[in-house]
Amino acid sequence: MPIARKFSSLLVATVILHLLIGCNSETAPAPTPQPAQDTATNLQHARAVEAVIWGMPAVNYDLMLQEMLTKTPGKVGQVIYWGRPLDSKNQTLTPNPDALYFMVFLNTKDGPVVLDLPPATATGSFNANIVTVWQMPLEDAGLLGRDKGKGAKYVVLPPGYKGKLPAGYVALQSDTFGNYMLFRANFKSHSDADVQSAINYGKQMRIYPLSAAAHPPLTTFTDVKDIDYDSTIKYDSTFFDHLNNIIQSEPWLDRDRVMIDQLASLGIEKGKPFQPDNTTRSLLTSAAQDARAFLYAKYDAGLPPFFSAANHWTYPAYPDLIQAAQAGYTDLNNYPVDHRGVAYSYAFIGVKRLGAGQMYLISIKDKNGNAFDGSKSYKLTVPPNAPVSQYWSVTAYDRDLHTLIKGMPRASRSSQIPDLQKNSDGSVDIYFGPGAPSSKDSNWIPTDPKRQFELMFRAYGPTQALFQKQWVLPDVALVQ
């Protein structure tokens, strides 16, 4: 882990330094010792920086949970949903505005919880992901998930569960009590009728304790489309309040036990109140800001390119993180904490089989290698015969917050849009900028001229042509 490696390196460096000083004692001046108080403060700051990077996915989870509990009528075990395509009232990280979002948080402390999900029909289908507090994927569900569109009763089991399950359930063993599911109901278009059809389809799901399976209670659904739902990462001392929520409510995972003493030095201990004084709050905010600088610098450096080294469309996360998460972090010689911290600073949810049900590509630079400027105009030409069995879409996000850009009338364009204009060869030109090109409003995604932006291309039901690079998405070009 990063902290262990850092301390090991520090120890080796200290020993070498002492040896060098000993060998040159006649000429080398004795080092000036640092006051113990300064050393303790520096160590506490360093540990706090590491805690932010390590705790990012869990804090990301808790921010969404607390936003539901404090701003909506929704409760754990119930379903909140956005009853229209997402707009900037939803300030989660890089969401998809071309599907109907349903979200349910679970707590298995009282026993297993059932997610009874509907089969696909002629008028409805879904893609869903079920994850732990640490956003480790337990399973993908839906048309291209585990059930292949047949529907299934998934049951999330609490840590250490030893009970027997009745036949007919898909068992998902979690290592945390808290879990959640993101359920995306697909729609044919953004029309009111198609959106309502997707809502009606999503409301066929049922959430209930396994103990009540013989007579399942009704599931409560709450529409939160008009609520300002903000789960952006807060890089200040409140980050540690959310981290404390996780430590108090969840068991320690073996792979993370090295963090017990590190967090205790910050005042976070299981079973004890977290009550930092003003001086500690100031230190924690400074550390959170330094962690942000580290994470953003890594993100700015770019994720691994997808199509070619010269192309600016990248993987949605680091390949070593994708592999480790899909394997449940079972490789004892691999734990990409830094890469995980970066990923969950700009996104949420984990995908068990990335590339089967959905694939994402990210671009933060134009064809010339420059960051996207919201005051300028750009064009992306999506080639014909996109390698998807469902749909493709491209979405613009706030570059700094990684959320839908505030104040914009829409955030994306997709192949679901009936009035999307196509070129004679079947390709589609998508425009980004503060104003729509003449007669191209249906193909335009507006941007804020005062802010930078970033792009995500989604392929739902991707085919092999994408992964074999037989179809290549070109870079976004600045319109002169």
Side-chain angles (χ1 to χ4, degrees):
M1 296 186 61
I3 289 179
R5 292 198 301 269
K6 182 176 289 184
F7 291 164
S8 296
S9 299
L10 179 61
L11 178 60
V12 171
T14 302
V15 171
I16 293 173
L17 179 61
H18 286 174
L19 289 172
L20 290 173
I21 291 172
C23 293
N24 299 277
S25 57
E26 295 183 359
T27 58
T32 302
Q34 187 176 27
Q37 185 176 4
D38 291 346
T39 299
T41 299
N42 291 341
L43 181 59
Q44 190 180 32
H45 181 276
R47 286 176 168 177
V49 172
E50 292 280 10
V52 172
I53 298 167
W54 167 78
M56 184 62 68
V59 168
N60 185 319
Y61 164 95
D62 194 62
L63 282 162
M64 293 187 291
L65 172 63
Q66 298 306 325
E67 197 73 357
M68 179 191 75
L69 295 175
T70 59
K71 285 192 178 179
T72 84
K75 297 179 173 60
V76 173
Q78 299 179 356
V79 181
I80 59 172
Y81 72 98
W82 282 261
R84 63 169 174 257
L86 298 184
D87 57 31
S88 60
K89 280 188 170 293
N90 179 304
Q91 287 284 288
T92 53
L93 303 181
T94 55
N96 180 5
D98 294 295
L100 259 293
Y101 269 36
F102 293 74
M103 184 181 287
V104 56
F105 290 89
L106 313 173
N107 191 319
T108 61
K109 283 188 176 180
D110 294 328
V113 177
V114 177
L115 304 170
D116 189 347
L117 306 182
T121 67
T123 58
S125 65
F126 74 93
N127 297 285
N129 309 100
I130 306 162
V131 303
T132 72
V133 160
W134 289 94
Q135 310 219 40
M136 185 188 78
L138 294 175
E139 194 52 272
D140 305 329
L143 200 60
L144 297 166
R146 172 76 172 267
D147 57 281
K148 303 298 182 184
K150 297 179 181 178
K153 294 180 180 179
Y154 295 88
V155 57
V156 181
L157 307 177
Y161 184 75
K162 301 297 183 183
K164 291 186 177 180
L165 294 175
Y169 291 87
V170 177
L172 305 180
Q173 180 61 66
S174 179
D175 55 11
T176 61
F177 292 111
N179 302 270
Y180 78 101
M181 175 180 68
L182 181 64
F183 178 108
R184 308 171 197 80
N186 299 315
F187 47 62
K188 294 181 179 179
S189 76
H190 286 238
S191 70
D192 291 344
D194 285 341
V195 168
Q196 187 59 53
S197 178
I199 293 172
N200 296 341
Y201 174 77
K203 286 186 175 181
Q204 294 179 41
M205 78 172 80
R206 294 290 177 263
I207 315 298
Y208 51 85
L210 180 64
S211 59
H215 302 286
L218 293 176
T219 299
T220 299
F221 293 86
T222 301
D223 189 348
V224 297
K225 67 178 182 294
D226 293 320
I227 294 174
D228 291 321
Y229 193 96
D230 183 357
S231 64
T232 51
I233 307 300
K234 309 300 189 293
Y235 292 96
D236 57 28
S237 69
T238 62
F239 185 100
F240 297 88
D241 294 296
H242 291 283
L243 186 56
N244 181 63
N245 289 343
I246 300 300
I247 300 306
Q248 301 305 329
S249 61
E250 294 295 338
W252 277 104
L253 305 181
D254 284 345
R255 65 173 181 263
D256 291 327
R257 291 177 62 82
V258 71
M259 293 300 295
I260 293 176
D261 274 1
Q262 319 311 322
L263 293 184
S265 71
L266 306 177
I268 298 177
E269 296 184 73
K270 189 175 287 292
K272 296 182 179 181
F274 177 53
Q275 299 174 329
D277 58 23
N278 289 339
T279 299
T280 302
R281 284 277 179 193
S282 178
L283 180 146
L284 295 177
T285 291
S286 173
Q289 287 291 308
D290 284 349
R292 179 187 186 277
F294 170 80
L295 296 169
Y296 273 55
K298 287 185 72 69
Y299 183 69
D300 286 346
L303 295 162
F306 181 78
F307 293 107
S308 72
N311 185 287
H312 293 292
W313 288 102
T314 71
Y315 281 91
Y318 300 93
D320 65 337
L321 172 63
I322 295 170
Q323 182 178 0
Q326 290 175 338
Y329 299 103
T330 53
D331 183 350
L332 299 181
N333 297 310
N334 182 34
Y335 192 19
V337 171
D338 286 356
H339 286 174
R340 186 180 69 177
V342 175
Y344 286 100
S345 71
Y346 63 77
F348 71 100
I349 208 63
V351 181
K352 185 75 172 178
R353 300 174 184 84
L354 184 65
Q358 59 257 35
M359 183 62 187
Y360 311 92
L361 300 173
I362 291 175
S363 181
I364 62 174
K365 296 179 180 179
D366 67 16
K367 184 177 181 179
N368 296 323
N370 299 316
F372 294 118
D373 183 338
S375 68
K376 298 178 180 178
S377 297
Y378 302 84
K379 183 177 77 170
L380 167 66
T381 298
V382 181
N385 305 313
V388 295
S389 62
Q390 292 184 332
Y391 68 92
W392 61 261
S393 69
V394 60
T395 306
Y397 299 101
D398 186 294
R399 177 68 183 78
D400 185 56
L401 299 175
H402 309 298
T403 59
L404 298 176
I405 303 171
K406 293 181 180 179
M408 299 298 107
R410 61 174 175 247
S412 68
R413 296 283 81 184
S414 87
S415 57
Q416 305 156 305
I417 307 298
D419 58 349
L420 200 66
Q421 298 178 46
K422 294 184 179 180
N423 299 320
S424 59
D425 64 352
S427 64
V428 177
D429 293 331
I430 303 295
Y431 297 89
F432 311 88
S438 177
S439 304
K440 297 292 185 180
D441 180 80
S442 62
N443 290 40
W444 167 61
I445 298 176
T447 60
D448 184 342
K450 296 180 180 180
R451 302 185 69 83
Q452 292 185 337
F453 65 95
E454 60 194 2
L455 300 174
M456 182 175 287
F457 184 90
R458 287 177 167 85
Y460 272 82
T463 66
Q464 285 303 305
L466 178 64
F467 303 103
Q468 294 173 358
K469 316 297 169 64
Q470 297 169 0
W471 183 94
V472 176
L473 189 63
D475 281 324
V476 178
L478 181 67
V479 175
Q480 301 297 333

